[in-house]
Amino acid sequence: MDDTLLMIPGPTIVPKRVLDAMAQPIVNHRGPAFGEILEETTAMMSEVFQTNNPSYLLTGSGTAAMETAVGNTIQKGDKVINVVGGKFGQRFQQITEKFGGESIEITVPWGQAVDPEIVKSVLEEHDDVKALTMIHNESSTAVVQPIKEIGKIMNDYDSLFIVDTVSSLAGDTVEVDNYGIDVCLSGSQKCIAAPPGMSAITFGDDAWNVINKQETPNYYLDMKSHLKYFKKDPSQTPYTPSVSLTFAMNEALSIVLEEGLDNRVKRHHIGAEATRNAAEALGLELFAREGDRSNTLTGIKMPEGITDQQLRGTMRNKYNVDIGGGQDHLKGNVFRIAHMGIIGLPELAITFTCLEMTLKELGFEFERGAGVAALEETYIKYQ
């Protein structure tokens, strides 16, 4: 394996403590030792979600949790408002339609956040809306959505508020209970900084009232089964979980809480500000609209005359720094730099040093050292 620096928006760098946790001996997933670690891990998960409701671990990526959220609450013919402003908003819509839901799309230009007043007007226009789905941090566009403001609006309507926080939880402010979120989900491999392959989900009382009144077409992701087995003594999952990933999540969440949620979020915000400042110091243009920009990754427009293969290929093949590309119609037009998980000034300094060398090699004009200098200035400001 090479020593490539991962600066993509997931999977991100995993701390050695977390990797070491995965090396623990496998235990009986129906025994007391695993039950104890499962209860401890899900309790920490709820603390990070900032909810008094139980949380559940799923052996599957964030998409499994998205399917769990929709598949357990939406039935054929149910009206669902899908806020679509990027690749993952589209995915929520596709999952909704897969389960027979009637999608009411709120289309948001890629690179912008939705206007809460538009959400309110659509809720007013349509009767019997079962749920609204939203991606908090749309990593395909590096945009953060106003879930707090929309949560206030949702309080006035009898509809479930379903929020994906896969690329924001433990890196930006997410307060499930205070924001009125009925179903919240996240993934292991981004700001939590655990290996990929595990996700988490939590449900409020209103969501459980819906779940308990209807049959679900799910089998593996049936939350009634998960609840039943979690209540056993010792706590279990209905089907064989990834024991090693559970150990990893336990250690990763311990690190999150040791740092403190407020401190961790502040660190991510500083990294975001530093990255944006560094990019602009080089004369690069940010993709997302000002005021809507993500605090866990930054999208940057590809400089004119430079291809994705030239920029990202040189970064990866020559300098061993892996940055993200654009998705869908943004492919080749945008590149993305993550500042999530344990990424800080050292990793960003390496990334921007190599980015400057790459841009210089490709003939892009800028003041040499301006990007790294902007990083330094931003971090010094917060010391």
Side-chain angles (χ1 to χ4, degrees):
M1 297 296 289
D2 60 25
D3 56 353
T4 299
L5 175 62
L6 275 182
M7 298 297 289
I8 60 175
T12 188
I13 301 168
V14 177
K16 186 176 184 302
R17 276 176 56 182
V18 177
L19 294 175
D20 288 345
M22 293 187 70
Q24 295 181 69
I26 301 298
V27 298
N28 178 5
H29 67 291
R30 302 294 183 202
F34 184 77
E36 182 178 347
I37 202 85
L38 180 63
E39 290 179 8
E40 182 179 279
T41 308
T42 53
M44 288 192 288
M45 197 72 243
S46 289
E47 190 172 350
V48 174
F49 273 130
Q50 296 195 59
T51 180
N52 292 319
N53 299 312
S55 295
Y56 304 87
L57 295 181
L58 306 171
T59 298
S61 69
T63 303
M66 295 174 79
E67 183 166 325
T68 301
V70 173
N72 282 271
T73 58
I74 303 305
Q75 293 186 306
K76 187 175 181 179
D78 286 341
K79 293 181 180 179
V80 181
I81 297 174
N82 301 120
V83 179
V84 180
K87 191 71 174 176
F88 296 100
Q90 286 180 345
R91 185 169 298 179
F92 246 152
Q93 182 182 46
Q94 291 165 353
I95 294 171
T96 296
E97 293 172 340
K98 196 77 170 178
F99 282 91
E102 179 186 332
S103 175
I104 302 167
E105 180 180 341
I106 296 179
T107 305
V108 184
W110 287 38
Q112 297 181 22
V114 69
D115 182 347
E117 289 303 314
I118 293 178
V119 174
K120 184 176 181 179
S121 67
V122 174
L123 284 163
E124 286 289 333
E125 182 181 351
H126 295 274
D127 294 330
D128 303 323
V129 170
K130 184 76 166 291
L132 179 145
T133 71
M134 173 170 287
I135 308 295
H136 179 211
N137 191 80
E138 179 59 73
S139 60
S140 68
T141 61
V143 166
V144 63
Q145 299 286 355
I147 58 172
K148 180 179 181 180
E149 291 76 11
I150 291 173
K152 291 178 181 177
I153 292 171
M154 295 296 293
N155 285 335
D156 295 330
Y157 297 89
D158 189 23
S159 305
L160 298 179
F161 189 23
I162 302 175
V163 180
D164 172 314
T165 64
V166 169
S167 62
S168 62
L169 190 72
D172 208 347
T173 305
V174 177
E175 300 178 10
V176 169
D177 289 354
N178 289 340
Y179 292 176
I181 300 172
D182 297 295
V183 184
C184 194
L185 61 104
S186 197
S188 59
Q189 79 279 17
K190 296 184 186 281
C191 301
I192 293 173
M198 184 159 277
S199 54
I201 194 164
T202 184
F203 297 84
D205 290 342
D206 288 345
W208 275 114
N209 288 338
V210 169
I211 293 169
N212 289 328
K213 290 177 183 176
Q214 62 188 37
E215 291 300 319
T216 173
N218 289 291
Y219 186 85
Y220 182 68
L221 300 176
D222 180 2
M223 284 310 304
K224 290 178 186 176
S225 294
H226 280 267
L227 176 61
K228 176 182 176 181
Y229 275 80
F230 190 77
K231 287 183 175 180
K232 288 179 177 287
D233 185 15
S235 290
Q236 301 175 28
T237 56
Y239 314 107
T240 306
S242 174
V243 173
S244 297
L245 278 177
T246 306
F247 290 155
M249 282 289 281
N250 184 279
E251 193 64 30
L253 291 168
S254 296
I255 292 172
V256 170
L257 296 176
E258 286 169 13
E259 182 176 3
L261 270 177
D262 289 344
N263 292 333
R264 195 175 183 92
V265 168
K266 180 180 179 181
R267 178 169 59 77
H268 278 75
H269 281 223
I270 294 171
E273 181 181 339
T275 302
R276 294 192 288 260
N277 289 344
E280 291 183 323
L282 295 177
L284 298 170
E285 187 178 352
L286 303 179
F287 176 71
R289 184 173 63 180
E290 187 173 358
D292 297 339
R293 292 166 183 160
S294 166
N295 291 301
T296 65
L297 77 153
T298 296
I300 303 169
K301 293 183 180 180
M302 191 70 66
E304 188 175 350
I306 296 177
T307 68
D308 182 86
Q309 177 58 39
Q310 287 174 321
L311 185 105
R312 294 178 56 238
T314 301
M315 290 280 287
R316 180 178 57 251
N317 300 326
K318 189 171 183 178
Y319 298 114
N320 285 350
V321 177
D322 206 352
I323 58 177
Q327 293 184 298
D328 206 273
H329 64 276
L330 297 182
K331 188 174 183 180
N333 299 315
V334 170
F335 65 95
R336 298 172 296 155
I337 297 175
H339 27 83
M340 57 177 64
I342 63 170
I343 291 171
L345 177 58
E347 293 80 16
L348 288 171
I350 293 171
T351 300
F352 273 91
T353 297
C354 296
L355 178 60
E356 289 191 18
M357 294 169 71
T358 297
L359 289 171
K360 185 64 69 174
E361 179 180 325
L362 296 174
F364 185 75
E365 295 296 327
F366 60 93
E367 181 184 347
R368 190 183 295 272
V372 175
L375 285 176
E376 294 173 0
E377 289 170 6
T378 307
Y379 274 93
I380 287 171
K381 183 174 70 172
Y382 289 99
Q383 286 183 350

